[in-house]
């Protein structure tokens, strides 16, 4: 089968962002856009940024400490999204949205994005809809479709942040120890001028934000829930972290954390159960028939498969609904160790796979190691399996709208956290 398949135009018009790498339909145009993005997400580029990831996680730690002192619940579902938004906005704009400082733990921000995802199946049927909302007077959209208004305001905000970045002082940009993605794209030799217009860059920023925050937040939420719901997993993870991180003030870099075998198994199992994209990620060969086994697939036919079917396959993962990091540890030691790895499809595969895989790994390892090492006594609070179950397919699997999602408290009766 060709490696140069287009994305399905019908399916991917859902977020109204055909100028972003994510929403680009044609394989040839995508190759140009992706080529310019790749250098910002390499292992080396992410390593340069990793100190900032830790600094943002440290702000998160401070906020958890304040909650613990007041005996408050921490709505980790939202809190994780605050951290991932602050990280990705720092990386793409060079400044953060500072959701971690918001009293509501970014619930308004999340609500706007959720509105977009909830509208996405309708936009797929009426692709002109998003443009129509953008063109309407604000008051009219507020009256007719408050969800759409949230989305319109969100897009305008990303436009504004892009404008602020592109008009920044060069000295300020150069003072950053890591490259700022949207600024870097605006100067990239790999893109023609037509790809560096304000509109194109703002839409790319929007796509990076969307792709970068919810996915990572969802995997962290899922993984944390399963760790806390499984005392034996929790105990083993804490034991490994206590040994590997004797000094709470010095959390090792993510590349060192990736070497911790139990943490690594926990992350893999979290990625498996959180799945990544629920949808089928349809691709199209516009110009020729394709042969698959005995089947001829006519040109223009959308084909795709959901990672869910692999992630939950009992043939590959016995007892697939159980969070069992051990399945990865046995596998690491057995001769066929790579065999199971190839079935982690959370980041997709091939030319359209996730550009942010390295950054996502840096975030997941840093956040999980820091939180579980510094707060060994967090425990679930008012959270049942229903609160974390992925009940909707809005491209990503999403939880029910009527739940607060994962919530935790720091258990003050059993406390050894360094305060
Ligand atoms: C655990 C976290 C993440 C998961 C599970 C994930 C999953 C995925 C998947 C499955 C795709 C393929 C979508 C498709 O084929 O339509 C994708 C694409 C993409 N992801 Fe991620 N992602 C994660 C984190 C990130 C981060 C941190 C970024 C940073 C900006 C990011 C940016 C992107 C972009 C830009 C694309 C489109 C790539 C292209 O078409 O060239 N992702 N992601």
């Amino acid at each position: 089968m060709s490696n140069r398949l287009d994305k399905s135009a019908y399916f991917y018009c859902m977020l109204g962002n055909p100028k972003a790498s994510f929403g680009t339909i044609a394989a040839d145009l995508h190759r140009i856009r992706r080529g310019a993005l790749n250098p910002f997400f390499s292992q080396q580029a992410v390593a340069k940024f990793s100190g900032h990831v830790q600094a943002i996680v440290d702000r998160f730690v401070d906020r958890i400490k304040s909650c613990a002192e007041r005996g408050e619940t921490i709505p980790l579902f939202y809190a994780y999204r605050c951290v991932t938004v602050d990280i990705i906005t720092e990386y793409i704009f060079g400044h953060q949205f500072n959701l971690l400082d918001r009293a509501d733990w970014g619930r308004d921000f999340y609500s706007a994005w959720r509105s977009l995802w909830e509208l996405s199946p309708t936009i797929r049927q009426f692709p002109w809809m998003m443009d129509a909302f953008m063109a309407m007077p604000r008051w009219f959209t507020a009256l007719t479709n408050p969800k759409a208004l949230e989305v319109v305001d969100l897009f305008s905000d990303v436009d504004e942040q892009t404008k602020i970045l592109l008009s920044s002082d060069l000295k300020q940009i150069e003072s950053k120890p890591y490259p700022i993605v949207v600024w870097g794209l605006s100067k990239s030799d790999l893109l023609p001028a037509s790809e560096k217009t304000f509109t194109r860059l703002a839409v790319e920023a929007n796509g990076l934000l969307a792709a970068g925050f919810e996915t990572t937040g969802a995997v962290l939420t899922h993984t944390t829930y399963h760790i806390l719901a499984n005392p034996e997993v929790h105990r083993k993870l804490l034991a490994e972290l206590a040994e590997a991180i004797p000094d709470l003030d010095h959390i090792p870099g993510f590349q060192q954390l990736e070497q911790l075998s139990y943490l690594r198994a926990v992350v893999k199992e979290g990625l498996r159960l959180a799945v990544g994209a629920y949808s089928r990620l349809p691709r199209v060969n516009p110009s020729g028939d394709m042969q698959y086994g005995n089947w001829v697939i006519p040109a223009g036919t959308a084909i795709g498969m959901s990672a869910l079917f692999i992630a939950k396959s009992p043939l590959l993962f016995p007892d697939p609904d159980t969070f069992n990091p051990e399945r990865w540890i046995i596998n690491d030691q057995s001769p066929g160790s790579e065999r199971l790895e190839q079935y982690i499809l959370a980041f997709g595969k091939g030319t359209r796979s996730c550009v942010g895989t390295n950054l996502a790994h840096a975030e997941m390892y840093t956040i999980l190691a820091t939180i579980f090492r510094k707060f060994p006594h967090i425990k679930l609070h008012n959270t049942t399996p229903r609160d974390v179950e992925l009940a909707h397919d809005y491209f990503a699997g999403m939880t029910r709208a009527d739940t607060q999602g994962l919530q935790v408290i720091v258990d003050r009766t059993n406390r050894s956290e360094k305060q």
Side-chain angles (χ1 to χ4, degrees), residues 174-192:
E174 285 175 345
S175 69
K176 296 274 182 185
Y178 56 86
I180 297 167
V181 179
V182 175
W183 176 272
L185 290 177
S186 76
K187 306 288 173 212
S188 173
D189 295 336
L190 300 170
L191 291 173

Side-chain angles (χ1 to χ4, degrees), residues 10-323:
Y10 159 72
F11 183 85
Y12 278 97
C13 68
M14 65 192 177
L15 299 179
N17 61 355
K19 289 189 165 76
S21 294
F22 172 82
T24 304
I25 302 305
D28 289 345
L29 178 55
H30 170 261
R31 203 171 54 251
I32 296 169
R33 290 175 175 168
R34 177 66 183 248
L37 265 186
N38 281 338
F40 298 100
F41 292 95
S42 66
Q43 278 275 4
Q44 294 93 314
V46 169
K48 278 191 198 156
F49 183 59
S50 60
H52 291 259
V53 171
Q54 185 67 59
I56 292 167
V57 177
D58 290 346
R59 276 177 47 227
F60 181 35
V61 165
D62 290 343
R63 185 144 183 206
I64 297 181
K65 277 183 188 164
S66 313
C67 289
E69 273 153 24
R70 295 193 294 266
E72 280 175 18
T73 306
I74 301 145
L76 218 44
F77 175 96
Y78 294 99
Y80 274 152
R81 272 109 179 137
C82 292
V83 185
T84 56
V85 168
D86 282 356
I87 291 172
I88 192 65
T89 51
E90 177 69 43
Y91 204 39
I92 62 179
F93 294 125
H95 56 260
Q96 296 166 38
F97 280 9
N98 287 327
L99 291 200
L100 271 173
D101 298 339
R102 293 196 192 170
D104 74 343
W105 286 102
R107 280 181 171 84
D108 279 353
F109 180 90
Y110 177 79
S111 164
W113 277 107
R114 182 152 180 136
S115 295
L116 176 60
W117 288 310
E118 286 177 355
L119 284 173
S120 63
T122 317
I123 299 175
R124 199 172 282 137
Q125 307 309 321
F126 307 104
W128 43 264
M129 216 172 95
M130 213 47 240
D131 287 341
F133 284 135
M134 297 301 280
M136 281 175 189
R138 236 183 139 270
W139 63 265
F140 187 73
T141 316
L143 210 65
T144 53
N145 195 329
K147 272 190 193 305
L149 185 68
E150 284 192 278
V151 176
V152 169
D153 285 350
L154 182 79
F155 282 14
S156 307
D157 194 28
V158 174
D159 284 357
E160 188 56 31
Q161 299 304 326
T162 309
K163 214 172 278 168
I164 292 172
L165 170 67
L166 296 179
S167 58
S168 299
D169 177 35
L170 185 62
K171 277 206 190 93
Q172 195 188 329
I173 302 289
E174 285 175 345
S175 69
K176 296 274 182 185
Y178 56 86
I180 297 167
V181 179
V182 175
W183 176 272
L185 290 177
S186 76
K187 306 288 173 212
S188 173
D189 295 336
L190 300 170
L191 291 173
S194 58
E195 288 292 308
K196 295 190 276 194
T197 61
F198 168 75
T199 313
R200 223 294 287 171
L201 294 171
V203 172
E204 187 71 285
N206 193 315
L208 290 167
L209 173 56
F213 97 89
E214 170 60 20
T215 44
T216 320
V219 176
L220 284 164
T221 303
H222 238 72
T223 309
T224 302
Y225 170 78
H226 285 295
I227 295 168
L228 295 176
N230 289 283
E232 188 54 14
V233 172
H234 193 190
R235 188 191 63 73
K236 285 185 182 168
L237 180 65
L238 293 185
E240 183 180 64
L241 293 176
E243 197 185 327
I245 311 174
D247 180 355
L248 290 189
D249 289 329
H250 290 103
I251 304 292
F254 75 95
Q255 283 151 323
Q256 252 176 291
L257 294 171
E258 281 175 339
Q259 305 310 314
L260 300 179
S261 59
Y262 201 73
L263 177 60
R264 204 167 62 230
V266 162
V267 169
K268 283 182 197 163
E269 190 66 342
L271 283 167
R272 181 183 75 81
L273 277 182
V275 180
Y278 256 38
S279 292
R280 288 191 166 78
L281 313 183
R283 305 289 189 259
V284 172
N285 185 342
S287 52
D289 295 348
M290 291 186 292
Q291 187 78 34
Y292 179 72
N294 293 330
W295 299 82
V296 175
I297 301 168
T301 309
I303 49 168
M305 184 206 74
S306 168
L308 183 63
F309 302 128
I310 297 292
K312 296 288 183 84
S313 161
L315 295 176
L316 295 166
F317 303 105
D319 199 5
D321 289 322
T322 301
F323 187 83

